[in-house]
Amino acid sequence: MAVHSGKHGIVHVANPAGGTGVKEPFVTDWSLADGQAPEVYRASNTRGGQFVNAGVVDWSGGFNGIGATPLIMPGEMFDFEGYTAPTDNAYGTTGKTYTGEAICDSVTINWSWAASASLSWSATFSAASAGLTESTILLDDVTNTLPEIMCALAIETGAAGAEVALPNVVSAALTLSADNQSFTNSTTGSFTHRKAGNFNFTLAVTHQEEAETIAKGTDTRFRIYTTASLFWLIEWAHLANYSGLTVNRTSGAIIESTMNFVMQGTSGSVLGKIVKPDSTVVWPIP
């Protein structure tokens, strides 16, 4: 037992079928919650208190990073490997690592034009089968490339070949998720298991406009750029509402509001799709 800094933290993800884990580059932090829900009972023999039995084991976690997208997508199963710190505090040596078969619950990609910040993302996951294991191994990340920054990127709407940039956008957040289903039964051995559920997404776009530039109820096609030539393709996003319109006479702050979109799987008879910057189709499910 010892005290360690988090400055050495690393995350690897791997196919549950086995093989060497692949580093998740530019991870800024990761976290885990591991436990079980005790069965509580009170009866004539508990003396006005309570007794407990060990309950079903479950665990979950998340990690955040810099870049256009993490390696995992909602509903995908993977082997999580989280390295904490080198046991002897020497860089490049073995240390406490948590591993377990997980399923991705959600991924959020963030664009922030106001600060011209680097693209960032966050991912959450839950247990897919058995509990976490602890071991002492070495993981590393020797990525040396710089991530993209926001100043030259755009968010576009419109039909294919006729896209136009949305003006005065401050930020955007694309959240992809899966309604993963948990279960325990006579075979799971007191561990929570999960299977992939239905896919969904939301998109929030904040712009410095006092006008409602897209009509509520409109199905919109988006290209949200991650480099000068690569982008997330969203077909279709249904504009549910506007929120946060604030006019502050005292401060004179710039007026802005947020457009809140929800997933629309089809526009008329045209089936939509969600495509990553590397051209991988996230939805529809193959």
Side-chain angles (χ1 to χ4, degrees), residues 53 74 93 155 187:
N53 275 329
T93 59
I155 177 169
T187 306

Side-chain angles (χ1 to χ4, degrees), residues 38-113:
E39 177 198 12
V40 178
Y41 68 94
R42 302 176 181 90
S44 58
N45 65 321
T46 62
R47 310 300 196 276
Q50 69 179 35
F51 293 178
V52 299
N53 275 329
V56 175
V57 175
D58 198 5
W59 57 274
S60 61
F63 47 96
N64 304 305
I66 298 169
T69 179
L71 297 176
I72 57 173
M73 285 288 109
E76 292 181 352
M77 292 189 180
F78 67 100
D79 284 342
F80 170 80
E81 300 174 336
Y83 176 87
T84 59
T87 303
D88 61 1
N89 290 315
Y91 176 79
T93 59
T94 60
K96 178 71 73 178
T97 302
Y98 291 87
T99 62
E101 186 181 36
I103 185 169
C104 179
D105 296 317
S106 69
V107 167
T108 299
I109 301 98
N110 298 294
W111 291 258
S112 178
W113 283 270

Side-chain angles (χ1 to χ4, degrees), residues 209-246:
E209 297 277 355
E210 73 277 11
E212 296 188 354
T213 54
I214 298 176
K216 295 182 292 293
T218 300
D219 297 336
T220 304
R221 178 181 181 272
F222 280 95
R223 297 203 308 192
I224 313 177
Y225 282 80
T226 58
T227 70
S229 59
L230 301 178
F231 51 84
W232 277 89
L233 175 61
I234 308 296
E235 294 179 352
W236 307 84
H238 182 87
L239 181 53
N241 59 68
Y242 283 80
S243 64
L245 177 62
T246 302

Side-chain angles (χ1 to χ4, degrees), residues 149-164:
I149 60 173
M150 295 300 304
C151 56
L153 306 182
I155 177 169
E156 297 179 341
T157 63
E163 296 89 355
V164 294

Side-chain angles (χ1 to χ4, degrees), residues 3-26:
V3 176
H4 295 283
S5 165
K7 68 180 181 180
H8 298 285
I10 301 289
V11 169
H12 280 202
V13 298
N15 188 303
T20 303
V22 179
K23 69 176 180 293
E24 183 72 73
F26 295 111

Side-chain angles (χ1 to χ4, degrees), residues 32 41 49 83 94-95 108 120 130 134 146 160 165-166 187 216 222 237 242 249-250 262 270 277 285:
L32 284 176
Y41 68 94
Y83 176 87
T94 60
T108 299
S120 65
E134 299 180 38
L146 290 174
L166 277 178
T187 306
K216 295 182 292 293
F222 280 95
Y242 283 80
R249 185 64 184 269
T250 301
V262 298
V270 180
I285 298 169

